[in-house]
Amino acid sequence: MATGQQLGRSLLIKIGDGNTPEVFSNLCGLKTRSFNMSANEVDTTIPSCTNPGGPVQKTSRPGISNRTFSGSGAFVAGAAMSAFMGYVRGSTAFNAQVVVPGDGTYEGSWMVTDFEFSGDVEPNMEFTATFVAADELTFTAEV
């Protein structure tokens, strides 16, 4: 692997245990994962007052930012997964960290907006989850 490249499996979501001090554990079983950072565009376009019939230049400014983590993989039962499933069943916000190798860590309150179990006859049961920031996140750059 070339210098500077990062392993996709190192893109992690770590779920907090709610204790003080809080301990974060990897959500085990993830095989695929993605982290999306986006912002809405607020249109600020105004036609020219001095030349209203002329071309109009579209202008914008940043709007609401959105941070979403999604992942899928094998459902691995255990204490950490049981605590996580309590958040899912209760539609409860919880503390988590998204670790983006080569960038840094996004930490704060998250909620699961979509969760699905799936499975065929023989392979392991799988799950898919989508996490959305439930409050403002803090960012710590990777050193």
Side-chain angles (χ1 to χ4, degrees):
M1 188 157 72
T3 301
Q5 289 184 328
Q6 305 297 320
L7 293 172
R9 66 179 174 254
S10 296
L11 175 61
L12 304 171
I13 188 158
K14 299 173 131 191
I15 309 300
D17 64 4
N19 293 326
T20 304
E22 191 150 34
V23 176
F24 293 89
S25 300
N26 295 333
L27 183 61
C28 190
L30 290 177
K31 296 178 185 175
T32 63
R33 70 255 1 237
S34 66
F35 181 55
N36 176 277
M37 297 185 288
S38 62
N40 290 344
E41 174 185 3
V42 177
D43 187 356
T44 58
T45 306
I46 299 173
S48 170
C49 293
T50 58
N51 185 13
V56 177
Q57 173 64 51
K58 181 180 179 352
T59 59
S60 301
R61 64 180 170 80
I64 298 170
S65 62
N66 185 29
R67 305 294 183 254
T68 305
F69 182 91
S70 59
S72 63
F75 184 81
V76 179
M81 186 60 84
S82 293
F84 170 68
M85 288 307 300
Y87 300 134
V88 173
R89 282 189 300 277
S91 299
T92 307
F94 53 92
N95 289 331
Q97 298 173 329
V98 171
V99 179
V100 182
D103 182 36
T105 300
Y106 299 80
E107 183 175 336
S109 183
W110 294 79
M111 60 183 272
V112 175
T113 59
D114 190 50
F115 185 89
E116 179 180 306
F117 286 116
S118 61
D120 290 325
V121 174
E122 290 189 22
N124 294 332
M125 184 168 69
E126 304 252 325
F127 76 97
T128 301
T130 302
F131 305 77
V132 175
D135 201 349
E136 191 171 340
L137 302 176
T138 59
F139 173 72
T140 304
E142 185 177 276
V143 180

mmCIF file with all atom_site columns, all heavy atoms in Angstrom, residues 37-56:
data_model
loop_
_atom_site.group_PDB
_atom_site.id
_atom_site.type_symbol
_atom_site.label_atom_id
_atom_site.label_alt_id
_atom_site.label_comp_id
_atom_site.label_asym_id
_atom_site.label_entity_id
_atom_site.label_seq_id
_atom_site.pdbx_PDB_ins_code
_atom_site.Cartn_x
_atom_site.Cartn_y
_atom_site.Cartn_z
_atom_site.occupancy
_atom_site.B_iso_or_equiv
_atom_site.pdbx_formal_charge
_atom_site.auth_seq_id
_atom_site.auth_comp_id
_atom_site.auth_asym_id
_atom_site.auth_atom_id
_atom_site.pdbx_PDB_model_num
ATOM 1   N N   . MET A 1 37 ? -20.214 13.575 4.686   1.00 0.00 ? 37 MET A N   1
ATOM 2   C CA  . MET A 1 37 ? -20.277 14.939 5.197   1.00 0.00 ? 37 MET A CA  1
ATOM 3   C C   . MET A 1 37 ? -20.864 15.798 4.083   1.00 0.00 ? 37 MET A C   1
ATOM 4   O O   . MET A 1 37 ? -20.313 15.848 2.981   1.00 0.00 ? 37 MET A O   1
ATOM 5   C CB  . MET A 1 37 ? -18.890 15.452 5.576   1.00 0.00 ? 37 MET A CB  1
ATOM 6   C CG  . MET A 1 37 ? -18.247 14.655 6.690   1.00 0.00 ? 37 MET A CG  1
ATOM 7   S SD  . MET A 1 37 ? -16.665 15.336 7.229   1.00 0.00 ? 37 MET A SD  1
ATOM 8   C CE  . MET A 1 37 ? -15.615 14.927 5.849   1.00 0.00 ? 37 MET A CE  1
ATOM 9   N N   . SER A 1 38 ? -21.991 16.451 4.358   1.00 0.00 ? 38 SER A N   1
ATOM 10  C CA  . SER A 1 38 ? -22.626 17.275 3.343   1.00 0.00 ? 38 SER A CA  1
ATOM 11  C C   . SER A 1 38 ? -23.202 18.536 3.978   1.00 0.00 ? 38 SER A C   1
ATOM 12  O O   . SER A 1 38 ? -23.324 18.632 5.197   1.00 0.00 ? 38 SER A O   1
ATOM 13  C CB  . SER A 1 38 ? -23.733 16.490 2.634   1.00 0.00 ? 38 SER A CB  1
ATOM 14  O OG  . SER A 1 38 ? -24.731 16.114 3.557   1.00 0.00 ? 38 SER A OG  1
ATOM 15  N N   . ALA A 1 39 ? -23.523 19.488 3.129   1.00 0.00 ? 39 ALA A N   1
ATOM 16  C CA  . ALA A 1 39 ? -24.156 20.725 3.585   1.00 0.00 ? 39 ALA A CA  1
ATOM 17  C C   . ALA A 1 39 ? -25.192 21.140 2.550   1.00 0.00 ? 39 ALA A C   1
ATOM 18  O O   . ALA A 1 39 ? -24.947 21.016 1.343   1.00 0.00 ? 39 ALA A O   1
ATOM 19  C CB  . ALA A 1 39 ? -23.129 21.828 3.778   1.00 0.00 ? 39 ALA A CB  1
ATOM 20  N N   . ASN A 1 40 ? -26.329 21.637 3.028   1.00 0.00 ? 40 ASN A N   1
ATOM 21  C CA  . ASN A 1 40 ? -27.328 22.182 2.122   1.00 0.00 ? 40 ASN A CA  1
ATOM 22  C C   . ASN A 1 40 ? -26.817 23.490 1.543   1.00 0.00 ? 40 ASN A C   1
ATOM 23  O O   . ASN A 1 40 ? -26.064 24.216 2.174   1.00 0.00 ? 40 ASN A O   1
ATOM 24  C CB  . ASN A 1 40 ? -28.649 22.444 2.855   1.00 0.00 ? 40 ASN A CB  1
ATOM 25  C CG  . ASN A 1 40 ? -29.341 21.170 3.243   1.00 0.00 ? 40 ASN A CG  1
ATOM 26  O OD1 . ASN A 1 40 ? -29.023 20.100 2.749   1.00 0.00 ? 40 ASN A OD1 1
ATOM 27  N ND2 . ASN A 1 40 ? -30.300 21.277 4.125   1.00 0.00 ? 40 ASN A ND2 1
ATOM 28  N N   . GLU A 1 41 ? -27.265 23.772 0.365   1.00 0.00 ? 41 GLU A N   1
ATOM 29  C CA  . GLU A 1 41 ? -26.906 25.010 -0.309  1.00 0.00 ? 41 GLU A CA  1
ATOM 30  C C   . GLU A 1 41 ? -28.067 25.992 -0.154  1.00 0.00 ? 41 GLU A C   1
ATOM 31  O O   . GLU A 1 41 ? -29.214 25.663 -0.469  1.00 0.00 ? 41 GLU A O   1
ATOM 32  C CB  . GLU A 1 41 ? -26.668 24.700 -1.782  1.00 0.00 ? 41 GLU A CB  1
ATOM 33  C CG  . GLU A 1 41 ? -26.420 25.871 -2.653  1.00 0.00 ? 41 GLU A CG  1
ATOM 34  C CD  . GLU A 1 41 ? -26.303 25.479 -4.118  1.00 0.00 ? 41 GLU A CD  1
ATOM 35  O OE1 . GLU A 1 41 ? -26.462 24.299 -4.460  1.00 0.00 ? 41 GLU A OE1 1
ATOM 36  O OE2 . GLU A 1 41 ? -26.077 26.389 -4.918  1.00 0.00 ? 41 GLU A OE2 1
ATOM 37  N N   . VAL A 1 42 ? -27.789 27.186 0.349   1.00 0.00 ? 42 VAL A N   1
ATOM 38  C CA  . VAL A 1 42 ? -28.802 28.227 0.481   1.00 0.00 ? 42 VAL A CA  1
ATOM 39  C C   . VAL A 1 42 ? -28.610 29.193 -0.684  1.00 0.00 ? 42 VAL A C   1
ATOM 40  O O   . VAL A 1 42 ? -27.548 29.822 -0.814  1.00 0.00 ? 42 VAL A O   1
ATOM 41  C CB  . VAL A 1 42 ? -28.676 28.972 1.825   1.00 0.00 ? 42 VAL A CB  1
ATOM 42  C CG1 . VAL A 1 42 ? -29.684 30.098 1.910   1.00 0.00 ? 42 VAL A CG1 1
ATOM 43  C CG2 . VAL A 1 42 ? -28.847 27.996 2.985   1.00 0.00 ? 42 VAL A CG2 1
ATOM 44  N N   . ASP A 1 43 ? -29.614 29.282 -1.532  1.00 0.00 ? 43 ASP A N   1
ATOM 45  C CA  . ASP A 1 43 ? -29.538 30.141 -2.718  1.00 0.00 ? 43 ASP A CA  1
ATOM 46  C C   . ASP A 1 43 ? -29.607 31.612 -2.308  1.00 0.00 ? 43 ASP A C   1
ATOM 47  O O   . ASP A 1 43 ? -30.547 32.041 -1.642  1.00 0.00 ? 43 ASP A O   1
ATOM 48  C CB  . ASP A 1 43 ? -30.687 29.796 -3.661  1.00 0.00 ? 43 ASP A CB  1
ATOM 49  C CG  . ASP A 1 43 ? -30.600 30.503 -4.995  1.00 0.00 ? 43 ASP A CG  1
ATOM 50  O OD1 . ASP A 1 43 ? -29.688 31.346 -5.188  1.00 0.00 ? 43 ASP A OD1 1
ATOM 51  O OD2 . ASP A 1 43 ? -31.454 30.221 -5.860  1.00 0.00 ? 43 ASP A OD2 1
ATOM 52  N N   . THR A 1 44 ? -28.609 32.391 -2.697  1.00 0.00 ? 44 THR A N   1
ATOM 53  C CA  . THR A 1 44 ? -28.574 33.830 -2.402  1.00 0.00 ? 44 THR A CA  1
ATOM 54  C C   . THR A 1 44 ? -28.608 34.648 -3.694  1.00 0.00 ? 44 THR A C   1
ATOM 55  O O   . THR A 1 44 ? -28.240 35.826 -3.708  1.00 0.00 ? 44 THR A O   1
ATOM 56  C CB  . THR A 1 44 ? -27.307 34.178 -1.594  1.00 0.00 ? 44 THR A CB  1
ATOM 57  O OG1 . THR A 1 44 ? -26.160 33.789 -2.347  1.00 0.00 ? 44 THR A OG1 1
ATOM 58  C CG2 . THR A 1 44 ? -27.305 33.489 -0.242  1.00 0.00 ? 44 THR A CG2 1
ATOM 59  N N   . THR A 1 45 ? -29.054 34.025 -4.792  1.00 0.00 ? 45 THR A N   1
ATOM 60  C CA  . THR A 1 45 ? -29.068 34.676 -6.092  1.00 0.00 ? 45 THR A CA  1
ATOM 61  C C   . THR A 1 45 ? -30.051 35.839 -6.119  1.00 0.00 ? 45 THR A C   1
ATOM 62  O O   . THR A 1 45 ? -31.213 35.689 -5.710  1.00 0.00 ? 45 THR A O   1
ATOM 63  C CB  . THR A 1 45 ? -29.446 33.665 -7.193  1.00 0.00 ? 45 THR A CB  1
ATOM 64  O OG1 . THR A 1 45 ? -28.563 32.549 -7.107  1.00 0.00 ? 45 THR A OG1 1
ATOM 65  C CG2 . THR A 1 45 ? -29.384 34.288 -8.569  1.00 0.00 ? 45 THR A CG2 1
ATOM 66  N N   . ILE A 1 46 ? -29.578 36.996 -6.574  1.00 0.00 ? 46 ILE A N   1
ATOM 67  C CA  . ILE A 1 46 ? -30.426 38.178 -6.747  1.00 0.00 ? 46 ILE A CA  1
ATOM 68  C C   . ILE A 1 46 ? -30.099 38.771 -8.117  1.00 0.00 ? 46 ILE A C   1
ATOM 69  O O   . ILE A 1 46 ? -28.932 39.053 -8.409  1.00 0.00 ? 46 ILE A O   1
ATOM 70  C CB  . ILE A 1 46 ? -30.160 39.232 -5.654  1.00 0.00 ? 46 ILE A CB  1
ATOM 71  C CG1 . ILE A 1 46 ? -30.465 38.640 -4.277  1.00 0.00 ? 46 ILE A CG1 1
ATOM 72  C CG2 . ILE A 1 46 ? -30.980 40.502 -5.900  1.00 0.00 ? 46 ILE A CG2 1
ATOM 73  C CD1 . ILE A 1 46 ? -30.073 39.542 -3.134  1.00 0.00 ? 46 ILE A CD1 1
ATOM 74  N N   . PRO A 1 47 ? -31.118 38.964 -8.960  1.00 0.00 ? 47 PRO A N   1
ATOM 75  C CA  . PRO A 1 47 ? -30.846 39.605 -10.257 1.00 0.00 ? 47 PRO A CA  1
ATOM 76  C C   . PRO A 1 47 ? -30.291 41.015 -10.043 1.00 0.00 ? 47 PRO A C   1
ATOM 77  O O   . PRO A 1 47 ? -30.587 41.670 -9.051  1.00 0.00 ? 47 PRO A O   1
ATOM 78  C CB  . PRO A 1 47 ? -32.215 39.659 -10.936 1.00 0.00 ? 47 PRO A CB  1
ATOM 79  C CG  . PRO A 1 47 ? -33.040 38.628 -10.224 1.00 0.00 ? 47 PRO A CG  1
ATOM 80  C CD  . PRO A 1 47 ? -32.516 38.573 -8.832  1.00 0.00 ? 47 PRO A CD  1
ATOM 81  N N   . SER A 1 48 ? -29.491 41.450 -10.990 1.00 0.00 ? 48 SER A N   1
ATOM 82  C CA  . SER A 1 48 ? -28.890 42.773 -10.913 1.00 0.00 ? 48 SER A CA  1
ATOM 83  C C   . SER A 1 48 ? -29.971 43.850 -10.896 1.00 0.00 ? 48 SER A C   1
ATOM 84  O O   . SER A 1 48 ? -30.900 43.836 -11.717 1.00 0.00 ? 48 SER A O   1
ATOM 85  C CB  . SER A 1 48 ? -27.963 42.992 -12.118 1.00 0.00 ? 48 SER A CB  1
ATOM 86  O OG  . SER A 1 48 ? -27.549 44.335 -12.184 1.00 0.00 ? 48 SER A OG  1
ATOM 87  N N   . CYS A 1 49 ? -29.848 44.788 -9.971  1.00 0.00 ? 49 CYS A N   1
ATOM 88  C CA  . CYS A 1 49 ? -30.800 45.900 -9.898  1.00 0.00 ? 49 CYS A CA  1
ATOM 89  C C   . CYS A 1 49 ? -30.545 46.909 -11.010 1.00 0.00 ? 49 CYS A C   1
ATOM 90  O O   . CYS A 1 49 ? -31.467 47.595 -11.458 1.00 0.00 ? 49 CYS A O   1
ATOM 91  C CB  . CYS A 1 49 ? -30.707 46.587 -8.539  1.00 0.00 ? 49 CYS A CB  1
ATOM 92  S SG  . CYS A 1 49 ? -31.259 45.531 -7.193  1.00 0.00 ? 49 CYS A SG  1
ATOM 93  N N   . THR A 1 50 ? -29.298 47.011 -11.471 1.00 0.00 ? 50 THR A N   1
ATOM 94  C CA  . THR A 1 50 ? -28.959 47.981 -12.507 1.00 0.00 ? 50 THR A CA  1
ATOM 95  C C   . THR A 1 50 ? -29.133 47.416 -13.909 1.00 0.00 ? 50 THR A C   1
ATOM 96  O O   . THR A 1 50 ? -29.251 48.169 -14.866 1.00 0.00 ? 50 THR A O   1
ATOM 97  C CB  . THR A 1 50 ? -27.510 48.475 -12.327 1.00 0.00 ? 50 THR A CB  1
ATOM 98  O OG1 . THR A 1 50 ? -26.636 47.363 -12.364 1.00 0.00 ? 50 THR A OG1 1
ATOM 99  C CG2 . THR A 1 50 ? -27.367 49.231 -11.003 1.00 0.00 ? 50 THR A CG2 1
ATOM 100 N N   . ASN A 1 51 ? -29.136 46.073 -14.041 1.00 0.00 ? 51 ASN A N   1
ATOM 101 C CA  . ASN A 1 51 ? -29.317 45.440 -15.342 1.00 0.00 ? 51 ASN A CA  1
ATOM 102 C C   . ASN A 1 51 ? -30.203 44.208 -15.176 1.00 0.00 ? 51 ASN A C   1
ATOM 103 O O   . ASN A 1 51 ? -29.754 43.074 -15.324 1.00 0.00 ? 51 ASN A O   1
ATOM 104 C CB  . ASN A 1 51 ? -27.955 45.071 -15.943 1.00 0.00 ? 51 ASN A CB  1
ATOM 105 C CG  . ASN A 1 51 ? -28.066 44.514 -17.339 1.00 0.00 ? 51 ASN A CG  1
ATOM 106 O OD1 . ASN A 1 51 ? -29.114 44.600 -17.982 1.00 0.00 ? 51 ASN A OD1 1
ATOM 107 N ND2 . ASN A 1 51 ? -26.979 43.926 -17.833 1.00 0.00 ? 51 ASN A ND2 1
ATOM 108 N N   . PRO A 1 52 ? -31.502 44.414 -14.843 1.00 0.00 ? 52 PRO A N   1
ATOM 109 C CA  . PRO A 1 52 ? -32.372 43.271 -14.541 1.00 0.00 ? 52 PRO A CA  1
ATOM 110 C C   . PRO A 1 52 ? -32.579 42.312 -15.710 1.00 0.00 ? 52 PRO A C   1
ATOM 111 O O   . PRO A 1 52 ? -32.906 41.158 -15.511 1.00 0.00 ? 52 PRO A O   1
ATOM 112 C CB  . PRO A 1 52 ? -33.687 43.908 -14.121 1.00 0.00 ? 52 PRO A CB  1
ATOM 113 C CG  . PRO A 1 52 ? -33.613 45.337 -14.499 1.00 0.00 ? 52 PRO A CG  1
ATOM 114 C CD  . PRO A 1 52 ? -32.186 45.682 -14.716 1.00 0.00 ? 52 PRO A CD  1
ATOM 115 N N   . GLY A 1 53 ? -32.369 42.749 -16.929 1.00 0.00 ? 53 GLY A N   1
ATOM 116 C CA  . GLY A 1 53 ? -32.541 41.872 -18.087 1.00 0.00 ? 53 GLY A CA  1
ATOM 117 C C   . GLY A 1 53 ? -31.288 41.107 -18.446 1.00 0.00 ? 53 GLY A C   1
ATOM 118 O O   . GLY A 1 53 ? -31.316 40.227 -19.304 1.00 0.00 ? 53 GLY A O   1
ATOM 119 N N   . GLY A 1 54 ? -30.177 41.395 -17.760 1.00 0.00 ? 54 GLY A N   1
ATOM 120 C CA  . GLY A 1 54 ? -28.902 40.752 -18.059 1.00 0.00 ? 54 GLY A CA  1
ATOM 121 C C   . GLY A 1 54 ? -28.789 39.369 -17.430 1.00 0.00 ? 54 GLY A C   1
ATOM 122 O O   . GLY A 1 54 ? -29.690 38.900 -16.725 1.00 0.00 ? 54 GLY A O   1
ATOM 123 N N   . PRO A 1 55 ? -27.681 38.705 -17.712 1.00 0.00 ? 55 PRO A N   1
ATOM 124 C CA  . PRO A 1 55 ? -27.479 37.372 -17.129 1.00 0.00 ? 55 PRO A CA  1
ATOM 125 C C   . PRO A 1 55 ? -27.454 37.442 -15.598 1.00 0.00 ? 55 PRO A C   1
ATOM 126 O O   . PRO A 1 55 ? -26.996 38.414 -15.018 1.00 0.00 ? 55 PRO A O   1
ATOM 127 C CB  . PRO A 1 55 ? -26.125 36.934 -17.664 1.00 0.00 ? 55 PRO A CB  1
ATOM 128 C CG  . PRO A 1 55 ? -25.602 38.026 -18.508 1.00 0.00 ? 55 PRO A CG  1
ATOM 129 C CD  . PRO A 1 55 ? -26.571 39.154 -18.507 1.00 0.00 ? 55 PRO A CD  1
ATOM 130 N N   . VAL A 1 56 ? -27.959 36.395 -14.990 1.00 0.00 ? 56 VAL A N   1
ATOM 131 C CA  . VAL A 1 56 ? -28.009 36.316 -13.527 1.00 0.00 ? 56 VAL A CA  1
ATOM 132 C C   . VAL A 1 56 ? -26.937 35.322 -13.076 1.00 0.00 ? 56 VAL A C   1
ATOM 133 O O   . VAL A 1 56 ? -26.896 34.187 -13.550 1.00 0.00 ? 56 VAL A O   1
ATOM 134 C CB  . VAL A 1 56 ? -29.404 35.867 -13.036 1.00 0.00 ? 56 VAL A CB  1
ATOM 135 C CG1 . VAL A 1 56 ? -29.424 35.724 -11.527 1.00 0.00 ? 56 VAL A CG1 1
ATOM 136 C CG2 . VAL A 1 56 ? -30.469 36.843 -13.509 1.00 0.00 ? 56 VAL A CG2 1
#
